[in-house]
Amino acid sequence: MMLNQTMVFLILGMVIPVVIGTFPGKSKISYLHEQEIELRLKQLNKPAIKSIHSPDGDIIDCVWIYNQPSFDHPLFKNHTIQMRPKSNSIRDKTGGNKTDIIHQLWRTKGECPKNTIPIRRRTRDDLLRSDSIENYGRKSPPPTIYHTDAAQPEEVHEHTCVHVDYGQFHGSKSRISIWKPNVVRTREFSLAQTWVVNGDWDTGLNSLESGWQILHALYGDKNPRLFAYWTGDTYRETGCYNLDCPGFVQVSRHISLGAALNTFSTYNGEQYDFLLTIEKDQETGLWWLKFETYLIGYWPSFIVPKLAVSARKIAWGGEIVYYTRGQGTHTLTQMGSGHFAEKGFRKAAYFNSLEYIDTSNYPITPSPQHLQATVTRPECYNLMVGSSQRWGTYFFYGGPGRNPQCP
């Protein structure tokens, strides 16, 4: 999730748990470590009014809306949940009828009652895959991580993104195609997302992010999952994925952040996408996240103070991360469909209907000529921007990773 010095994004690392004591044929994790795990799970997993067993193995807990993680933080002590935006520009576009398509696997097995929200239950294995039990769900602190030809860091991020910059924006809209790219190793990931950003790298980047991702280190499988992320200080001390820390306030009982999507596109087959919107409510300063017509919830401006007035940059695109492990060869982890942008529709992944939202909360379609592109390794992953009457401004993106031109 790095676009330039303003947008550098990291992913969770992983360490092997400390093992003490040796027994014939087995190892024993320290008792104190186990206590720490149990305590953290109690903090993360709130009491459920109802639990739903998803076909992919997840357990979705229906938690009373005022018992969600954000209310563990003192800043939310007197917070009253806003169930809908106050600005007509957001509220009127949500529509009265929800789509009939079930967008997440867990919904095939039930739904959460009114006044509850669905939260994916975290497990012991989830914590053990994390680099830190306490910092589970957060990205690593930022070292020097940019890919350059001169000196590759151990953790390498590749991007194919477009963005508008140095403006005043109240949000982002786009349709994002869903794929299931091959992700080779546990710590590697592949994603497609939008970024809403203000601030800078040195003094504190504020960023709101959402899209789909495949991240085994966080979720324990390789399914494409809907996610959200935020940071108020360049990924140092604040922010997290989904509802893994106080910050994002969820209102929807229909969508679970971090849960698997039930459909994805296939090469030369059916194509699936979803409309994703991040938009600021002018009256309240809340940044609302919408999946299709579902209002999932919001980020209050006080957790991202540099976004209190507006965003400076809006970006859309794909990203992968891999680890060189001293071998110097590129990963086989795919981005998008795993095919280059020039393959086009039904073969390459895409974003279409790109819009940024101005300070009057009016959606504006940027022309291809006004978009700036970031492609870190075009021989590994690339993009092609275009426009049409049906799709508005769009781009195809992605690639296979290592290939004869990307050794």
Side-chain angles (χ1 to χ4, degrees), residues 218-289:
L218 186 62
Y219 305 110
D221 64 21
K222 296 185 178 181
N223 292 322
R225 293 169 176 267
L226 180 69
F227 81 96
Y229 198 92
W230 70 275
T231 180
D233 62 354
T234 320
Y235 311 95
R236 290 185 172 91
E237 301 292 337
T238 67
C240 63
Y241 282 107
N242 308 322
L243 299 178
D244 290 337
C245 70
F248 186 83
V249 178
Q250 180 152 337
V251 301
S252 174
R253 65 187 180 99
H254 302 289
I255 301 295
S256 178
L257 291 173
L261 298 162
N262 73 329
T263 55
F264 54 87
S265 305
T266 56
Y267 189 83
N268 263 339
E270 292 294 325
Q271 303 297 293
Y272 297 95
D273 60 29
F274 60 85
L275 177 64
L276 189 74
T277 307
I278 299 176
E279 184 170 358
K280 185 183 180 222
D281 185 341
Q282 291 194 55
E283 292 190 35
T284 63
L286 306 176
W287 287 88
W288 283 87
L289 175 64

Side-chain angles (χ1 to χ4, degrees), residues 296-402:
I296 300 177
Y298 55 84
W299 294 276
S301 291
F302 60 74
I303 67 171
V304 280
K306 292 183 180 178
L307 287 165
V309 176
S310 62
R312 193 198 74 184
K313 171 183 277 188
I314 306 294
W316 306 265
E319 179 189 6
I320 68 98
V321 70
Y322 74 99
Y323 296 82
T324 61
R325 300 180 185 274
Q327 298 175 3
T329 58
H330 202 282
T331 183
L332 289 168
T333 286
Q334 299 172 339
M335 182 189 294
S337 70
H339 296 269
F340 286 115
E342 53 266 30
K343 291 286 187 178
F345 187 58
R346 295 188 185 276
K347 298 177 181 178
Y350 62 80
F351 282 65
N352 69 32
S353 306
L354 265 61
E355 293 179 329
Y356 64 83
I357 299 167
D358 69 11
T359 53
S360 298
N361 282 57
Y362 187 81
I364 296 176
T365 301
S367 67
Q369 294 77 16
H370 290 151
L371 290 173
Q372 302 177 55
T374 298
V375 181
T376 52
R377 289 285 298 276
E379 68 273 25
C380 309
Y381 315 98
N382 68 357
L383 66 78
M384 294 179 62
V385 183
S387 63
S388 69
Q389 185 173 1
R390 179 183 178 186
W391 274 16
T393 297
Y394 65 86
F395 64 93
F396 291 102
Y397 75 97
R402 186 170 47 191

